[in-house]
Amino acid sequence: MTKRDQIADRATAIKRGLDFLYRVARTTDGFDSYGSLLISCFALVGATSRDARLRQLARSRAEQLARRWRRVHPQLPTEVSADLALHFVFVRYALSRLGLKDAALNAQIRTAVKRFSAPDLLGFDPVSEPPPSDLSYRCDCGLKNQRGRTFCKQCRKRLQVKTRYRVWMEALANTYVGARCGVLFGARYADVLKWLPSMRPYPAAGEDEEVVRDAIFAITHLVYTLNDYNTYRLSTRLLPQEFAYLKANVEADCVNHDPELLGELLDSLKAFGLRASHPLIMRGTKYLLANQNEDGSWGDPDEEDIRTRCHTTWTATDGLRAHAWRGERAIRAEIKSLLTG
Ligand SMILES: [Zn+2]
């Protein structure tokens, strides 16, 4: 297969993946449960892809979906919930990546989230404690239970506990995206980032599978928040341990059939400078191309959680996509000192 054929194959697979996401975004269920993130997905593809046609297509879809978002949410509710405030922040960040800014709305969000504490927004207070391992996912019945509970207060079901890597990853992303919109989302990004040394060393292969997975997701989100979601390359000298850990996990993700994780992994490795011709990128790319579903998605087509189906497809397209890097990011001294701590 020639290099040109390979690029054409990748472009077709990416287009099919984005078509799947757009079909989901246009359903009521899909939009209600994942709309803000699908707007983010299309906006970032529109802002960071090397392929001009792909940029154009993704941008127009992001704008379409943003119009729908405004119809559903014409204004920020006065008593906005923490969850909805976060969705607003995601949409603001996404649109800012397309040059569509709204300072007045950002100011409203900034004021609205002031009535929440850091634990309300992030589950813990990063100023005073490391990411904890006693926070649970929202119960299937809909209740977000208090920290430390192992059974749901409402329906008595056993709760699924988040790993500390998951808690840290979410806090990194939420405070970073908030800050980019001028919103202090519970804490400063630097206060979340400063716990990086306590997350090392990363779990070895063979340890609890969920912990290993979440550690990788934490590192990819560390990369995303340091390189403005694939806008800049990062020097491997900044994060040698993280770079090595990501490289060491490519093969396992292919063998374990985990395209959701693999997509983000390839994405971050490319940010660290690995080229399309690098054996690890080639291995992962080949896996993704060979494992796309009939409907254009990736992952288990019988998965009931539409958010998982979307996120898996989103990350797989990112893993295949070529980015229009704007050079290597210069990291502020304050942030740099936290990476080596
Ligand atoms: Zn419950």
Side-chain angles (χ1 to χ4, degrees):
M1 191 186 265
T2 66
K3 195 177 164 195
R4 183 177 294 183
D5 288 341
Q6 283 169 15
I7 292 171
D9 274 4
R10 284 210 319 258
T12 307
I14 292 165
K15 172 76 170 45
R16 288 176 60 211
L18 293 180
D19 287 348
F20 170 82
L21 292 174
Y22 195 55
R23 284 198 303 277
V24 172
R26 294 177 68 178
T27 65
T28 305
D29 276 0
F31 192 81
D32 286 351
S33 56
Y34 210 64
S36 65
L37 285 160
L38 287 166
I39 295 170
S40 306
C41 166
F42 284 107
L44 287 168
V45 173
T48 64
S49 295
R50 194 187 298 168
D51 178 339
R53 268 187 307 183
L54 183 60
R55 281 203 305 273
Q56 231 167 34
L57 174 80
R59 186 189 168 104
S60 90
R61 287 179 175 181
E63 288 172 353
Q64 291 272 357
L65 296 174
R67 279 196 283 277
R68 177 163 177 172
W69 174 268
R70 272 193 299 273
R71 280 199 300 276
V72 180
H73 305 282
Q75 57 202 6
L76 189 74
T78 13
E79 298 272 293
V80 67
S81 69
D83 283 349
L84 184 58
L86 180 62
H87 291 302
F88 263 90
V89 169
F90 285 148
V91 173
R92 294 316 318 150
Y93 172 68
L95 295 180
S96 76
R97 296 305 311 264
L98 300 177
L100 305 168
K101 307 210 169 156
D102 187 340
L105 181 50
N106 288 359
Q108 282 176 27
I109 302 172
R110 180 162 57 242
T111 306
V113 299
K114 275 187 191 153
R115 64 191 180 93
F116 297 110
S117 66
D120 289 340
L121 295 170
L122 306 170
F124 72 111
D125 187 354
V127 170
S128 52
E129 59 168 337
S133 37
D134 60 355
L135 288 167
S136 58
Y137 286 93
R138 186 183 290 279
C139 180
D140 290 337
C141 75
L143 189 73
K144 207 171 197 174
N145 281 269
Q146 247 175 8
R147 189 169 161 181
R149 289 196 69 100
T150 44
F151 290 90
C152 178
K153 198 178 171 193
Q154 186 165 278
C155 73
R156 306 281 157 197
K157 247 177 97 170
R158 179 175 273 284
L159 295 166
Q160 206 197 339
V161 177
K162 290 182 183 179
T163 67
R164 66 194 186 103
Y165 287 107
R166 170 72 52 168
V167 173
W168 186 55
M169 168 197 101
E170 290 175 352
L172 280 175
N174 298 352
T175 55
Y176 175 77
V177 171
R180 294 283 276 114
C181 302
V183 174
L184 182 74
F185 201 83
R188 292 165 62 238
Y189 172 69
D191 281 323
V192 181
L193 185 62
K194 75 178 182 215
W195 298 107
L196 171 59
S198 75
M199 307 314 273
R200 297 171 177 145
Y202 299 102
E207 281 189 44
D208 183 281
E209 198 186 318
E210 189 191 352
V211 177
V212 173
R213 240 183 143 242
D214 283 354
I216 297 171
F217 277 129
I219 296 173
T220 59
H221 283 72
L222 176 64
V223 170
Y224 291 142
T225 55
L226 287 172
N227 80 350
D228 204 16
Y229 287 86
N230 286 330
T231 307
Y232 302 94
R233 281 197 200 276
L234 283 183
S235 164
T236 57
R237 283 192 309 260
L238 278 177
L239 297 165
Q241 292 178 59
E242 285 71 19
F243 179 53
Y245 191 69
L246 293 182
K247 283 197 294 185
N249 275 286
V250 173
E251 184 57 31
D253 287 354
C254 295
V255 174
N256 294 340
H257 293 291
D258 195 338
E260 184 179 21
L261 195 52
L262 181 65
E264 290 202 5
L265 230 163
L266 296 179
D267 208 13
S268 291
L269 286 174
K270 287 187 282 185
F272 278 127
L274 295 199
R275 299 190 178 280
S277 57
H278 188 282
L280 288 176
I281 303 293
M282 282 171 58
R283 169 74 170 114
T285 302
K286 199 171 155 195
Y287 175 87
L288 290 175
L289 289 176
N291 286 278
Q292 188 168 21
N293 298 321
E294 201 65 29
D295 61 5
S297 69
W298 274 271
D300 179 2
D302 295 324
E303 165 66 54
E304 283 178 10
D305 188 341
I306 190 65
R307 288 168 301 181
T308 302
R309 294 211 65 205
C310 286
H311 189 254
T312 307
T313 304
W314 175 1
T315 66
T317 59
D318 274 348
L320 292 174
R321 203 152 59 82
H323 297 88
W325 303 108
R326 295 187 205 164
E328 203 171 272
R329 191 170 214 190
I331 305 284
R332 282 187 291 135
E334 182 210 7
I335 295 295
K336 209 180 236 178
S337 69
L338 299 174
L339 303 180
T340 48

